[in-house]
Each structure stands twice: as structure tokens, then as C-alpha cells.
Amino acid sequence: MIFMGRTLKRLRVLNGMKQTHVAELLRVTQATVSRWEAGVLTPSDSQRQALERLFARTPSAADAALKRLVETSAAKVHLICDHSHRLLAASPGRRAEWRREMIGEPMFRYASEEIRRAESELDDLGWHDCRVASLAVETGPNGRDDVPISAGRVLWERIPLADGAMGRLVTALS
């Protein structure tokens, strides 16, 4: 896991921990934790490993159920992290389209021009401000054989995950 400032703060807050407690557990000062969260200072490799152990947790029941629903869906659907675009889960129909295992892979590199354009308009639409919870998007072909995207329509839906991050459920409409 990459510990960027916002991620560290979100994990700390979700776990009900104060900066001083995290600092004590990692044997650093509270000011160091504050600087990590502000993005002024980056944790060392050993500190990142300690943070991973500190915030390691099993998936919530809700996240596990969502993953199970996606992975057993008859529809062509997949779930990505809304921020990093990493694939979190995919239905059998969606996985059958791809020539390799994609779980954990960033998916944006496979996006068609139409998807890239729609992604660039999300801020203006209020997607990240939660003013828009779903959006129908026209896709175009990406011209790839390994992870093909054909012309059609998909539905993007924002779904909160247990760690405070947002997921994006992508469902083929046509």
C-alpha cells in the first residue's frame, strides 16, 4: 500500500487513532506523523512497512459482500478504486474478455479516448464532490487485444468502501 498523506490520515481517523498514538507505536514524534499526513515528509521503507502492519485489516463484511456480488454477477461488471483505477473485482463475463489476470492492476492505461474524455470531465460534473453518484458513459474501441474495450455504453456508479475510499462500479449497458 502506498501511504500518501490523505490515505494515512484517513486510515488513522477510521481506526480512531490520534497522531500521538501512531507516533508512539512507530517510535517517531507526533510532528513526524503530521508531516507525513501533510505530504511534507515521506515515511522511510521501514516506516511504511510498520504503517502497513499497523493498519492491516481484514476486509469489512460489506466490502467482502460487494466483491462477492461483483464476482458472481451474470452482467459484465467490474469494480475499481475510483482514485487509482486499480481493479478490485470483476464478473466472470468481464474477466472472459481479458487475456490475463487483472486484479490489482491499474485499468486506466487500457481506456479508450472516449473513456479518457469522460474521466477528464468528472470534476466539472461534481463526481468527486458527490453531486453525481452515477453516470452513463459512451465507450469507444481501444484497439487492444489483451484488454479490449469495444464501442458501447457503461454505467459508472460511485460506491463508498469501508476504508473511506470510493469504488467505481462499471456495468456494461450495451
Side-chain angles (χ1 to χ4, degrees):
M1 175 180 290
I2 298 173
F3 282 97
M4 302 298 285
R6 317 185 279 230
T7 303
L8 177 56
K9 183 174 183 177
R10 185 176 66 232
L11 287 169
R12 180 181 59 75
V13 170
L14 285 171
N15 283 280
M17 299 175 78
K18 294 186 178 276
Q19 286 181 342
T20 52
H21 187 212
V22 172
E24 179 182 319
L25 292 171
L26 270 67
R27 296 189 173 106
V28 297
T29 66
Q30 178 273 326
T32 298
V33 175
S34 177
R35 288 184 189 114
W36 290 341
E37 290 182 1
V40 173
L41 188 64
T42 303
S44 69
D45 288 340
S46 62
Q47 290 167 332
R48 275 194 295 274
Q49 290 171 357
L51 287 165
E52 286 177 12
R53 285 190 302 273
L54 179 62
F55 294 115
R57 52 189 280 199
T58 57
S60 75
D63 285 356
L66 175 60
K67 182 178 179 191
R68 205 168 38 255
L69 286 171
V70 169
E71 290 177 342
T72 60
S73 176
K76 289 184 179 178
V77 60
H78 61 279
L79 178 67
I80 62 172
C81 171
D82 199 44
H83 175 69
S84 69
H85 297 98
R86 289 195 182 280
L87 181 66
L88 303 174
S91 68
R94 181 63 80 210
R95 286 193 316 265
E97 295 176 336
W98 302 330
R99 306 273 191 273
R100 61 192 183 88
E101 179 57 45
M102 299 295 297
I103 299 297
E105 294 285 323
M107 300 296 290
F108 196 68
R109 70 181 92 168
Y110 305 105
S112 65
E113 286 305 313
E114 293 82 356
I115 293 171
R116 290 177 185 277
R117 188 173 20 260
E119 182 76 27
S120 72
E121 296 169 355
L122 290 179
D123 277 339
D124 293 338
L125 294 171
W127 180 265
H128 300 291
D129 298 332
C130 298
R131 290 181 288 164
V132 175
S134 65
L135 182 65
V137 175
E138 297 291 330
T139 64
N142 65 353
R144 296 186 64 130
D145 291 329
D146 55 346
V147 183
I149 297 174
S150 55
R153 286 175 58 91
V154 295
L155 179 65
W156 288 351
E157 298 173 275
R158 282 177 54 95
I159 297 176
L161 303 175
D163 70 353
M166 295 301 287
R168 184 183 307 177
L169 190 63
V170 181
T171 306
L173 299 175
S174 62

